[in-house]
Structure formats: C-alpha cells, structure tokens
Amino acid sequence: MRATVRKLARFFPTAIVSGRCRDKVYNFVRLAELYYAGSHGMDIKGPAKGSKYKKGGDGVVFQAASEFLPMIDEVYEELVEKTKTTPGAKVENNKFCLSVHYRCVDEKKWSGLAQVVKSVLKEYPKLRLTQGRKVLEIRPTIKWDKGKALEFLLESLGFANCTDVFPVYIGDDRTDEDAFKVLRERGQGFGILVSKIPKDTSASYSLQEPTQVMDFLRRLVEWKRLPFQGRSRVV
Ligand SMILES: O=P(O)(O)OC[C@H]1O[C@H](O[C@H]2O[C@H](CO)[C@@H](O)[C@H](O)[C@H]2O)[C@H](O)[C@@H](O)[C@@H]1O
C-alpha cells in the first residue's frame, strides 16, 4: 500500500486524515511528500519540502485546537490513573484528542469504564465524548472535524472553487462521514466508504476492503499515466 500511495502522490496531491496523532500517522506511513491531518483533522501539516501544488508563501500548517493541549494532557493523566483498575483498558494520547480503548476489556466492565470516563469529563465541559469502534473518544468541543480539515486543504491548495479538480476521500470510520458530507454538499468529487457491510453513509461509492482500495489507487495512477487522449479508457 505504501508504494502505491507514494506513486499516487507523484500525480495527485494526497493527504492522510486520521483520528490518531499526526506524528504517529507519519511514523506509520513515512512519506514526506504527503499532507497529514492528525487528531481528527485538528493538526494539519503539508510536505516538509513544500509542495508543487502550493506556490509561494509558507507551507500548509494548521492547528485548530492549540489552546486545548494543557487540558488534554491533564485529562490523559487522570484517565490513565482512573482506568488502571480496569484490565485491558488503554488510554491513547492523540495530542488534541484522547482515545480510551475497551476492545480488550471484559464486556461486563464496559459500562463501568464508560462511567469512569464520563465522571472525569464532568469537570471538563469544553471536552466532548464520542463513541468509535470499541473506543471512547474525547475531543475539544470546537466545530472542527475531518470534513473541516478537508475543506481547509482544498482551500489552502487553491482547489476549492476549481471545476476541474475532483477530490476523492476514502475512509472506513464513522468520523469519515463528516468529510463525505462536505464533498456531497459541495457537489465536488465523491466519498468512498470502505466497509464489508452496507451502512448508512454520505459516501457515493463503497469498497469492501483495503486491498480493493489499493487496486483503485493503482488504477488511478495507471489512468493518469495514459496520454491525455486515452484517459477516457477504463484501466
Ligand atoms: O481516523 P482513523 O485513522 O480511521 O483512526 C480511527 C481510530 O484508529 C485507532 O483505533 C482503531 O484501531 C484500534 C486498534 O489499534 C481499535 O481498537 C479501534 O477499534 C480502531 O478504531 C486509534 O487508536 C484511534 O485513536 C482512532 O480514533
């Protein structure tokens, strides 16, 4: 997948948008030519060496929730301490947001763990709690999500009002729906949901698994390599 994404980024501006913290995502992917939006889009950074898509000025850098950092760190410490007694619970610091994983916790203890998390958050009204796949997510109440990050990237790169730019957003998480919605509302490009089972979604298309995503990206690269006149051909 990494080699395919590297080829893709040669032809198309490519970003990875994730709930994990940006550094962690970068360390997984290790492609300096990409844009990275970590912490559910709250921490955005463009390629270190600048980008051929953004001429002049500074590179793309944006942190939507910097003032929340001390609070997030404080809540992280508190959650680590208070969840110690729940075997299998894991608190993950994603810089501008936190995740409390309960995948490895005995099902009988799930509601107790959620109560512990909620009781900590009572003291922090500026943070909100959402639910992911066997994970409780804590993040600032600011109006920022993966959809906002996508809009920010389109605007920063000067693509927001281009009729000849076709953004494609691929995701498998509930939080990716915000980005699918943005594309649907703008009538620009489309979203692709990755899921084996049918789901209620704002994405326009779906793929079942990462190998299909890789195949789709590989075909995009092949299509782009075709001479312009031949691009209507399906690869
Ligand atoms: O925004 P994404 O890049 O799709 O990330 C969403 C979450 O990913 C991670 O959690 C996922 O993997 C965990 C195992 O490593 C699994 O337990 C969980 O169910 C998955 O959602 C990450 O740890 C979370 O912080 C992200 O929000």
Side-chain angles (χ1 to χ4, degrees):
M1 180 69 98
R2 186 168 174 268
T4 306
V5 174
R6 168 176 274 157
K7 283 183 201 151
L8 186 80
R10 259 189 234 146
F11 296 108
F12 305 98
T14 305
I16 300 199
V17 185
S18 173
R20 293 178 164 100
C21 81
R22 184 166 52 79
D23 289 350
K24 207 178 283 177
V25 180
Y26 182 80
N27 288 330
F28 285 150
V29 182
R30 288 174 295 107
L31 291 174
E33 55 272 47
L34 305 189
Y35 293 80
Y36 291 88
S39 306
H40 291 291
M42 286 184 274
D43 187 9
I44 303 177
K45 197 162 187 292
K49 286 188 185 159
S51 161
K52 61 179 172 186
Y53 304 103
K54 191 173 188 294
K55 307 271 179 263
D58 297 331
V60 175
V61 181
F62 183 69
Q63 293 191 330
S66 318
E67 73 275 22
F68 285 88
L69 274 181
M71 188 187 287
I72 292 283
D73 285 341
E74 191 177 302
V75 175
Y76 172 71
E77 298 298 336
E78 220 173 303
L79 285 173
V80 168
E81 191 53 40
K82 299 228 165 108
T83 58
K84 257 184 192 164
T85 49
T86 308
K90 185 175 167 256
V91 187
E92 184 183 8
N93 191 335
N94 284 322
K95 192 162 180 177
F96 294 104
C97 44
L98 302 169
S99 298
V100 180
H101 294 270
Y102 56 90
R103 188 173 291 283
C104 300
V105 173
D106 180 344
E107 203 169 332
K108 290 187 217 87
K109 296 195 187 298
W110 287 1
S111 81
L113 180 66
Q115 284 316 312
V116 168
V117 174
K118 282 180 191 158
S119 74
V120 170
L121 289 189
K122 262 192 194 144
E123 304 302 316
Y124 299 92
K126 287 188 172 167
L127 298 179
R128 67 185 166 110
L129 184 66
T130 56
Q131 169 105 42
R133 270 173 274 176
K134 309 236 168 101
V135 61
L136 298 167
E137 309 228 64
I138 293 121
R139 49 173 140 162
T141 46
I142 58 166
K143 287 196 173 109
W144 197 268
D145 52 37
K146 290 179 176 179
K148 293 276 183 201
L150 172 59
E151 281 183 320
F152 174 86
L153 284 166
L154 290 172
E155 267 154 41
S156 307
L157 295 171
F159 296 155
N161 300 309
C162 295
T163 48
D164 59 348
V165 170
F166 198 83
V168 175
Y169 186 101
I170 306 174
D172 68 347
D173 199 63
R174 195 183 297 181
T175 56
D176 294 309
E177 289 296 330
D178 294 314
F180 298 150
K181 253 182 238 151
V182 161
L183 293 182
R184 191 170 277 277
E185 280 162 14
R186 295 171 76 97
Q188 195 185 13
F190 57 67
I192 303 178
L193 172 71
V194 183
S195 174
K196 276 193 191 307
I197 50 166
K199 277 183 188 164
D200 206 13
T201 180
S202 295
S204 306
Y205 297 97
S206 75
L207 289 169
Q208 291 196 9
E209 49 186 276
T211 52
Q212 291 186 344
V213 173
M214 195 166 81
D215 194 44
F216 171 73
L217 299 180
R218 191 186 52 71
R219 286 175 187 217
L220 264 183
V221 172
E222 280 175 27
W223 173 82
K224 187 71 179 179
R225 278 181 174 152
L226 287 172
F228 188 74
Q229 298 89 323
R231 284 200 193 142
S232 55
R233 182 163 77 79
V234 179
V235 287

